[in-house]
């Protein structure tokens, strides 16, 4: 595969200019009751506040939510007003890359509500990447690939993780082949090696799932190291899924030919919620300047163990854990609602 010579995708650990979020607007994210809506708004606001202790934060707010957002968001958090359908900035926002001179370019993927499911609306969200890029003052490279930020991950050295059931999903890219996807990721992200996970977590294939986002499964805290979600209880269907994924990664090499040092992030003890098997995982954290905003699940032993693993994986960064159960009940985690804007050139 030939990488696009002028574009490269920095690792999430590279210095950030800021972190972007979108404020919850309506539908299932806000829920059916005032208590549900408050829980959602407070959760998004808590993530924004935690990140703002480390770096600038900007939140996109729907015109209908401007006054509400002002009551929840800290005064030092910037806002941009634009129409929204939902609030998953990782998936609707742009993916920033660096050009040959170190400047930023925003990649604008096609967004169709995670494969055009009958329940989703996405007309407004599909325009958010352009809005965010314009606000950031960065040029845009548009892609015809239906893709989401939570469906791709990099080590910053040309290795890109994707999932067969996402990029090759008939609801997203019905005419795609591996070769076409890899060529587009080379053009837009400078990918030198694309690793195709066979699948994602069990919960992700239910009606409101993404059908295999990689950011619920694995992340690359540094080149050659892979943090992997593992379910150790054989009563959970992800027990077999994560065993198979570990075996898969043991047979892979990155863009530089290294085999991965696999570090396991064990799931908390909870197995189910009102909807069935949970997808609680600690992989879905976001790295910020000098810190890591991590998920917690009300399981003291597992939460502390995960925070320790993350501290070791990201030396020199302070780990801040937030109870993410309100997020996971709505379909995602902390990584899913955030999108980093890298600094224009390495610090």
């Amino acid at each position: 595969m030939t990488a696009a010579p002028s574009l490269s995708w920095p690792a999430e650990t590279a210095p950030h200019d800021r972190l972007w979020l979108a404020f919850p607007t309506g539908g299932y994210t806000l829920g059916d009751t005032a208590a549900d809506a408050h829980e959602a708004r407070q959760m998004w606001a808590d993530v924004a506040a935690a990140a703002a202790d480390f770096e600038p934060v900007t939140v996109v707010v729907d015109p209908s939510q401007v006054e509400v957002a002002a009551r929840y968001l800290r005064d030092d958090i910037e806002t941009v007003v634009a129409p929204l359908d939902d609030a998953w900035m990782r998936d609707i926002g742009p993916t920033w890359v660096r050009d040959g001179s170190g400047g930023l370019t925003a990649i604008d993927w096609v967004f169709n509500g995670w494969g055009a499911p009958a329940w989703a609306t996405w007309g407004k969200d599909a325009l958010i990447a352009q809005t965010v890029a314009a606000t950031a003052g960065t040029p845009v490279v548009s892609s015809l690939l239906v893709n989401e930020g939570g469906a791709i991950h990099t080590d910053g050295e040309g290795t890109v993780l994707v999932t067969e059931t996402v990029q090759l999903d008939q609801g997203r890219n019905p005419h795609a082949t591996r070769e076409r996807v890899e060529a587009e990721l080379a053009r837009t992200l400078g990918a030198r090696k694309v690793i195709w996970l066979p699948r994602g977590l069990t919960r992700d294939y239910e009606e409101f799932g993404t059908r295999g986002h990689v950011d619920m499964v694995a992340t690359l805290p540094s080149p050659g190291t892979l943090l992997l979600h593992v379910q150790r209880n054989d009563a959970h269907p992800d027990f077999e899924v994560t065993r198979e994924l570990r075996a898969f990664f043991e047979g892979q090499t990155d863009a530089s030919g290294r085999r991965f040092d696999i570090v396991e992030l064990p799931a908390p003890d909870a197995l189910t919620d009102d909807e069935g098997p949970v997808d609680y995982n600690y992989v879905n954290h976001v790295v910020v300047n000098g810190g890591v905003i991590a998920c917690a699940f009300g399981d003291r032993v597992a939460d502390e163990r995960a925070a320790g693993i993350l501290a070791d994986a990201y030396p020199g960064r302070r780990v801040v854990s937030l109870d993410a159960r309100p997020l996971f009940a709505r379909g995602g985690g902390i990584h899913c609602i955030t999108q980093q804007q890298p600094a224009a050139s390495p610090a």
Side-chain angles (χ1 to χ4, degrees):
M1 179 188 312
T2 301
S6 60
L7 299 178
S8 62
W9 189 18
E12 294 186 17
T13 52
H16 296 178
D17 181 83
R18 67 187 54 249
L19 194 71
W20 288 80
L21 292 86
F23 195 73
T25 299
Y28 71 93
T29 303
L30 287 186
D32 298 326
T33 69
D36 290 340
H38 171 69
E39 180 184 63
R41 290 163 175 154
Q42 192 62 61
M43 181 79 248
W44 263 256
D46 286 348
V47 173
D53 287 340
F54 295 91
E55 63 187 57
V57 172
T58 302
V59 180
V60 177
V61 180
D62 185 84
S64 69
Q65 299 294 306
V66 171
E67 293 183 5
V68 177
R71 297 199 299 267
Y72 283 88
L73 297 175
R74 239 167 50 181
D75 290 343
D76 60 340
I77 294 171
E78 297 181 5
T79 58
V80 172
V81 179
L84 289 165
D85 294 297
D86 215 326
W88 304 96
M89 183 56 79
R90 180 66 53 176
D91 295 341
I92 65 178
T95 300
W96 275 284
V97 296
R98 292 199 184 107
D99 61 27
S101 63
L104 292 185
T105 295
I107 306 301
D108 178 19
W109 313 107
V110 176
F111 179 72
N112 72 349
W114 307 279
W119 55 265
T121 58
W122 59 85
K124 299 171 185 176
D125 285 350
L127 304 176
I128 287 298
Q130 292 277 348
T131 299
V132 169
T135 304
T138 54
V140 174
V141 168
S142 294
S143 174
L144 294 179
L145 185 70
V146 179
N147 195 25
E148 303 97 35
I152 51 177
H153 186 63
T154 188
D155 61 356
E157 295 187 353
T159 307
V160 176
L161 307 181
V162 299
T163 313
E164 292 180 13
T165 55
V166 175
Q167 282 79 15
L168 302 182
D169 177 21
Q170 289 298 297
R172 290 176 167 97
N173 301 296
H175 304 296
T177 63
R178 285 194 183 202
E179 292 73 21
R180 288 181 176 180
V181 172
E182 290 180 5
E184 181 63 354
L185 297 180
R187 182 183 78 90
T188 54
L189 304 179
R192 297 189 296 124
K193 172 72 175 288
V194 178
I195 297 175
W196 290 86
L197 281 69
R199 60 159 298 151
L201 301 182
T202 300
R203 181 80 167 245
D204 218 0
Y205 294 89
E206 295 180 356
E207 181 180 7
F208 299 110
T210 69
R211 294 189 289 289
H213 270 194
V214 68
D215 69 355
M216 302 288 271
V217 174
T219 191
L220 300 166
S222 58
T225 300
L226 184 136
L227 290 174
L228 180 66
H229 169 65
V230 293
Q231 174 56 252
R232 292 178 173 173
N233 190 322
D234 62 8
H236 194 294
D238 285 336
F239 174 77
E240 289 296 337
V241 171
T242 58
R243 284 183 64 188
E244 292 169 4
L245 286 169
R246 177 170 182 121
F248 167 80
F249 277 116
E250 286 173 347
Q252 300 298 311
T253 57
D254 66 12
S256 297
R258 293 172 293 226
R259 292 198 176 274
F260 290 108
D261 176 16
I262 300 173
V263 179
E264 294 187 348
L265 269 173
D269 287 342
L271 298 180
T272 61
D273 62 10
D274 293 340
E275 303 298 324
V278 296
D279 52 1
Y280 293 169
N281 70 84
Y282 299 101
V283 165
N284 201 274
H285 55 268
V286 66
V287 179
V288 290
N289 293 336
V292 178
I293 313 302
C295 297
F297 301 99
D299 182 333
R300 184 183 60 81
V301 173
D303 292 347
E304 290 180 357
R305 176 180 61 205
I309 294 170
L310 292 174
D312 290 341
Y314 298 101
R317 298 179 193 261
R318 179 164 61 91
V319 177
V320 177
S321 297
L322 301 178
D323 190 334
R325 286 175 290 182
L327 275 174
F328 278 77
R330 290 163 171 83
I334 290 173
H335 191 260
C336 302
I337 68 168
T338 57
Q339 178 62 274
Q340 72 278 352
Q341 178 184 339
S345 59

